């Protein structure tokens, strides 16, 4: 916005002329000398342009700046609350969730980044959505699938996602889990990992079961995430995998180095 040469007024210094301008600063020449002000911040309370047209333009800039400040404060406030929840959360050693894609499908999950917990198969809750009581904001969802017609030992890891920052499985009555809007990764075919490598010494006897979710240890998920990072085929995915890993160890209060 061009404001050099415009007349402004100040409650203390009186009228002046804008003589210089940078992206975030203007210099105004008053009768008492030159004064510098933040631009457009100073027009919120201290400066008024003589030109009504220019003043309306600056008012819009001030309104935009105020909105950005509110948004930044909202983000900072959300982060503070999130770190408070992390600090207070009691971490269970087996709070990670592998999904078998018995109720979910890859097409649905990777298009919406939501997951169904499936249903109770027996008891008084039979037919009702399974409540993921062991899942909290520190839970990563491992997305796995056994190719149709192949033995269970050929189950592959297709991707992984963190749950949303405000997730509490005890309150998830509809059995629908929404993923984090940043920490979620779909693996290309060349990046897929063998699932049972992390859970069984041998391939024989591998069995998933009938439930959609199988819980496992935080340490095992840490190793899987490290391997996902190693096998990423693009620099962008490597960067995302590294950020995912760092977030995961933060919310699970794990050391960065994996112990043997």
């Amino acid at each position: 916005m061009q404001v050099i040469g415009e007349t402004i007024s100040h409650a203390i210094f009186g009228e002046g002329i804008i003589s210089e301008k940078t992206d975030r600063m203007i210099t105004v020449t008053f009768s008492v000398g030159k004064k510098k002000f933040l631009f457009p911040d100073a027009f919120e309370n201290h400066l008024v342009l003589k030109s009504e047209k220019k003043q309306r333009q600056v008012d819009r800039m001030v309104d935009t700046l105020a909105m950005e400040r509110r948004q930044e404060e909202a983000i900072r406030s959300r982060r503070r609350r999130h770190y408070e929840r992390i600090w207070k959360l009691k971490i269970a050693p087996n709070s990670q969730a592998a999904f078998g894609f018995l109720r979910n499908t890859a097409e649905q999950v990777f298009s919406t980044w939501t997951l169904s917990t499936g249903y109770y198969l027996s008891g008084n809750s039979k037919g009702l959505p399974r409540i993921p009581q062991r899942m909290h904001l520190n839970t990563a969802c491992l997305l796995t699938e056994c190719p149709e017609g192949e033995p269970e030992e050929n189950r592959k890891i297709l991707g992984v996602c963190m749950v949303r920052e405000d997730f509490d499985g005890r309150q998830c009555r509809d059995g629908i889990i929404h993923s984090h809007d940043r920490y979620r990764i779909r693996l290309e075919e060349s990046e897929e990992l063998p699932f049972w490598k992390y859970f069984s010494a041998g391939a024989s006897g591998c069995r998933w079961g009938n439930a959609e979710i199988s819980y496992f240890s935080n340490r095992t998920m840490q190793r899987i995430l490290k391997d996902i990072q190693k096998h990423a085929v693009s620099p962008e995915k490597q960067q995302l995998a590294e950020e995912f890993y760092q977030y995961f160890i933060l919310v699970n209060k794990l050391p960065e180095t994996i112990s043997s």
Side-chain angles (χ1 to χ4, degrees):
M1 178 181 177
Q2 177 57 257
V3 293
I4 293 177
E6 295 289 335
T7 301
I8 62 98
S9 62
H10 186 279
I12 296 175
F13 304 126
E15 283 196 353
I17 302 295
I18 300 175
S19 54
E20 297 177 39
K21 178 183 177 297
T22 62
D23 287 342
R24 294 289 288 132
M25 193 75 66
I26 58 172
T27 301
V28 182
T29 301
F30 296 99
S31 60
V32 296
K34 292 184 177 182
K35 303 292 182 182
K36 291 183 180 292
F37 300 91
L38 281 175
F39 179 84
D41 312 53
F43 286 89
E44 190 169 9
N45 297 305
H46 305 297
L47 302 178
V48 178
L49 280 158
K50 185 175 182 179
S51 167
E52 293 182 1
K53 180 179 178 180
K54 293 284 187 178
Q55 183 62 49
R56 286 194 296 270
Q57 292 177 340
V58 171
D59 286 342
R60 287 193 291 270
M61 295 176 70
V62 169
D63 290 343
T64 299
L65 185 64
M67 181 180 66
E68 290 173 350
R69 286 171 177 164
R70 290 193 296 271
Q71 291 173 340
E72 290 172 359
E73 178 54 36
I75 292 172
R76 286 194 292 268
S77 179
R78 189 181 74 175
R79 286 175 177 168
R80 284 196 297 270
R81 292 194 301 271
H82 183 45
Y83 284 119
E84 288 171 0
R85 288 195 294 269
I86 294 172
W87 180 256
K88 295 177 181 177
L89 181 64
K90 185 177 180 180
I91 303 297
N94 296 288
S95 54
Q96 307 309 309
F99 285 75
F101 278 29
L102 307 182
R103 303 292 179 267
N104 296 283
T105 65
E107 180 181 3
Q108 177 267 325
V109 170
F110 291 124
S111 62
T112 66
W113 283 104
T114 61
L115 289 154
S116 169
T117 61
Y119 301 91
Y120 290 106
L121 303 178
S122 61
N124 295 333
S125 299
K126 183 178 180 179
L128 295 176
R130 188 178 294 273
I131 298 173
Q133 298 194 40
R134 293 166 66 177
M135 295 175 64
H136 296 279
L137 63 87
N138 66 305
T139 299
C141 301
L142 194 64
L143 313 176
T144 82
E145 185 177 57
C146 182
E148 186 176 357
E150 296 190 21
E152 176 60 33
E153 53 261 33
N154 290 346
R155 180 173 292 276
K156 299 290 186 180
I157 297 172
L158 306 184
V160 64
C161 63
M162 294 298 303
V163 299
R164 285 196 325 198
E165 293 178 359
D166 59 352
F167 186 79
D168 183 342
R170 295 167 298 184
Q171 307 302 321
C172 183
R173 298 294 171 177
D174 61 359
I176 301 299
I177 299 168
H178 296 268
S179 76
H180 195 284
D181 59 5
R182 170 63 177 166
Y183 302 117
R184 53 198 194 191
I185 297 174
R186 180 177 187 175
L187 302 180
E188 301 295 334
E189 187 174 353
S190 62
E191 299 170 322
E192 293 173 357
L193 302 172
F195 174 77
W196 289 108
K197 165 188 174 182
Y198 301 94
F199 300 94
S200 174
S204 62
C206 296
R207 183 175 180 274
W208 179 268
N210 297 319
E212 176 67 11
I213 300 175
S214 179
Y215 292 100
F216 64 99
S217 77
N218 306 342
R219 295 282 187 173
T220 298
M221 181 64 89
Q222 185 180 12
R223 290 196 294 273
I224 292 172
L225 292 177
K226 206 59 172 171
D227 284 350
I228 287 175
Q229 184 182 349
K230 291 177 184 176
H231 287 81
V233 297
S234 69
E236 293 78 14
K237 187 170 285 187
Q238 288 175 355
Q239 178 64 32
L240 175 56
E242 170 62 18
E243 292 176 9
F244 193 127
Y245 180 81
Q246 293 299 329
Y247 178 78
F248 178 82
I249 63 175
L250 169 67
V251 296
N252 282 280
K253 303 176 183 178
L254 293 168
E256 184 167 354
T257 302
I258 299 174
S259 57
S260 57

